[in-house]
Structure formats: C-alpha cells, structure tokens
Amino acid sequence: MYCEGTARLNRTKYERATSAKQTLENKVTRSEMDIREITVAGQKLRIATSAGSAGSLPLLVFNGLGADLEVFHGFAREMGEFGIGILTFDVPGIGGSSVPVFPYRFACLAHLANDVLTALGIQGQVNVAGMSWGGALAQEFTY
C-alpha cells in the first residue's frame, strides 16, 4: 500500500514537472530574440538581440558565470513590452561561444563587450545590467 501511494505521488510530481517544462519550452520558443554568431577580435561569439522602440537605449545584459544567453529569453520578452531592446552574448567558453586560448579577466571581457557593440554598429550610450557574476562584469564595463 505504501509503495503504491508513493508511486502515484511520484508520477503526479513527474507529470507536473513535465507539464511545467513543456510550458517553459513553449514560452522560450516564442521569444523574439535573434540569436546568431559573430566573430569579434578573433573570437567566435554567440549573441542574442531583441528590438526595442525607436530612440530607446539598448540594454546590454551580462549573464551569470556558467549561464548561457538562453537565460534571458523571458527577460527579453518582458523588456520588449516596455519597448526596451536587449543585447547579450555568451562570453568566451560559455554556451555557443568558442573557448578562448587564455582565460579572460573582467577588463578584457569589458573591452570585448565594447567590441561587440561596435561590430553591431551600436554607438553611444547603452544601459547595462548583469545577473550574479555578470553584475560584476557590468560594473567593470561601466568603469
């Protein structure tokens, strides 16, 4: 009797988890982020952009250590509701970006982010945000 109840409980948890995962996957596929690869300073980078309203400053977002740009799909969708376009990229060695020959330090990654903006034709000011480790990188970028 105990085993049957446990099996039924575990099956219900699995069904709920599977349903939640499918819901999340459906939301991710509806995201309006344009994901592509570019080469900047000899480094292949996977970037994602979403369009904002005309005249609004783009938001450069840095992800946390070990997280790839997919973490920002929902965020990009929500920011789009306010007319804010975002730009994010997988830092070298994370997600779809190639592994660097030497480890990057924050200062080098901040310069790389500036080079990404230049390569995309973004000039002037941008708003900057970061999640976790990316928050420290955002601070270095603004410095």
Side-chain angles (χ1 to χ4, degrees), residues 11-30:
R11 186 172 50 252
T12 303
K13 286 181 181 178
Y14 172 77
E15 289 167 354
R16 273 192 302 238
T18 302
S19 176
K21 181 180 177 190
Q22 288 170 344
T23 301
L24 180 61
E25 287 172 351
N26 289 341
K27 287 182 180 177
V28 167
T29 57
R30 287 194 305 255

Side-chain angles (χ1 to χ4, degrees), residues 18-46:
T18 302
S19 176
K21 181 180 177 190
Q22 288 170 344
T23 301
L24 180 61
E25 287 172 351
N26 289 341
K27 287 182 180 177
V28 167
T29 57
R30 287 194 305 255
S31 173
E32 298 197 14
M33 291 181 71
D34 175 36
I35 300 174
R36 61 189 183 277
E37 290 181 359
I38 63 172
T39 301
V40 176
Q43 181 72 52
K44 183 188 81 164
L45 300 172
R46 189 171 67 135

Side-chain angles (χ1 to χ4, degrees), residues 63-122:
N63 48 357
L65 186 62
D68 59 17
L69 57 79
E70 271 84 9
V71 75
F72 291 120
H73 277 283
F75 181 72
R77 187 173 42 255
E78 294 300 317
M79 291 295 98
E81 295 290 321
F82 298 98
I84 300 170
I86 73 161
L87 162 68
T88 188
F89 66 97
D90 288 338
V91 296
I94 302 294
S97 293
S98 61
V99 178
V101 176
F102 298 104
Y104 278 77
R105 297 179 188 259
F106 275 135
C108 293
L109 290 170
H111 285 288
L112 182 64
N114 191 56
D115 292 344
V116 167
L117 293 173
T118 300
L120 295 175
I122 299 172

